[in-house]
Amino acid sequence: MKPDNHEETAPCEAVDGCGQVRACDHISRMLARISDKWSLLVVRVLGHGPLRFNALRREVGEISQKVLASTLRELEENGFVSRTVTPTTPPQVEYALTDLGREFLDPVRGLAEWVVANSARMDEARAAYAKRRRLD
């Protein structure tokens, strides 16, 4: 039986009306920063250890240089990735997970495992949906 009020302990429902909206907005903004496809893949790859830009690009796969650079800047801005420049000629830049990034790696791996375990079910649902759409 669902309660009529906001007494559940979910973050968006933990506080009164105005505070509840602020909490949900904050969670939405944070998730938007960290849950895009490329951020998750970069964190997963850097979970194996620090990499230079081109090595990281090869490991991530079909990502453009521009998108990878942008993703790395956002991850660095949000404290998930560190960027170390070695003063050589030419300069070498290495990217690594910070402590926060390593903590984030656990839920990223959990999500990846869930996707692998449930891919067939999602494919079946998509096929059933497409079939229903064709009949409409």
Side-chain angles (χ1 to χ4, degrees):
M1 189 176 200
K2 289 188 175 182
D4 295 342
N5 57 27
H6 298 287
E7 292 181 17
E8 294 179 4
T9 59
C12 288
E13 299 174 4
V15 290
D16 61 38
C18 185
Q20 176 183 350
V21 171
R22 282 194 303 267
C24 287
D25 286 347
H26 178 71
I27 291 167
S28 294
R29 283 192 309 276
M30 292 296 111
L31 285 174
R33 291 181 186 172
I34 61 173
S35 65
D36 67 279
K37 168 186 175 179
W38 297 118
S39 293
L40 295 175
L41 290 173
V42 167
V43 167
R44 183 187 62 81
V45 169
L46 287 176
H48 299 292
L51 289 170
R52 291 174 54 190
F53 187 91
N54 285 327
L56 179 57
R57 186 172 175 205
R58 281 190 299 274
E59 290 294 319
V60 170
E62 297 180 19
I63 186 171
S64 71
Q65 182 173 337
K66 180 180 177 180
V67 171
L68 179 56
S70 174
T71 299
L72 286 166
R73 272 193 303 275
E74 289 177 18
L75 288 169
E76 183 180 10
E77 177 184 2
N78 287 291
F80 293 96
V81 168
S82 65
R83 179 178 185 268
T84 304
V85 179
T86 304
T88 58
T89 306
Q92 293 183 1
V93 180
E94 187 174 76
Y95 297 91
L97 292 179
T98 61
D99 290 341
L100 183 62
R102 283 187 292 279
E103 287 178 31
F104 184 50
L105 192 55
D106 287 334
V108 168
R109 285 180 177 150
L111 181 59
E113 290 169 7
W114 183 90
V115 168
V116 169
N118 290 283
S119 289
R121 291 173 59 196
M122 289 185 284
D123 290 342
E124 291 167 10
R126 290 175 60 82
Y129 178 80
K131 184 177 180 180
R132 285 193 311 272
R133 296 287 295 173
R134 281 192 302 271
L135 296 175
D136 287 349

